[in-house]
Amino acid sequence: MAIRQARSRQTGFGLIEALIALVVLAFGLLGMAALQLNALKSATQSYQRSVATLAAIDAQERLWSALAASPHGHCSGLSAKVNDDWQTAWFADSQTPLAALSGHLSSSGCTFEVEVILNDGNPAYFYIFRLPDLSGA
């Protein structure tokens, strides 16, 4: 008879144990969802920085091309010639790669600075380079 009483006390999971297991599972799933959102945010930021780098390199290539086409081989006025086309190619409308962002191209002599302002809360992306003065002066 004593064996029968011990067996009847342990009848399986109760409702409380099942609810506690569901709560633990729910917290685990919420944690995984938060990790997924952070990974998606980081991937988006990385993509924007990569495209900003491509935009800066494109500005440099456009300036090289303008310098090669310049009859005097001097850097003055190149950024004004290139800036409008560069802005249109990268920032103009919703079909361009960096439509939600903005950028600026400036120069001081033959030193050029490309600035792409990101919308991820981080500082703007700066790309500074120098072209040679081919005027021979």
Side-chain angles (χ1 to χ4, degrees), residues 52-66 78-79 82-83 85-87 89-91 104-106 112-116 127 129 131:
T53 302
L54 289 174
I57 292 171
D58 180 60
Q60 181 181 15
E61 294 294 329
R62 288 172 188 259
L63 286 165
W64 270 107
S65 177
L78 289 181
S79 63
V82 170
N83 192 35
D85 290 336
W86 179 71
Q87 290 277 341
W90 289 94
F91 305 101
H104 182 67
L105 176 62
S106 61
F112 296 89
E113 180 178 292
V114 179
E115 175 187 20
V116 179
Y127 185 75
F129 57 93
L131 295 180

Side-chain angles (χ1 to χ4, degrees), residues 24-39:
V24 170
L25 179 65
F27 276 116
L29 291 175
L30 284 174
M32 290 300 292
L35 284 174
Q36 187 69 22
L37 287 174
N38 282 338

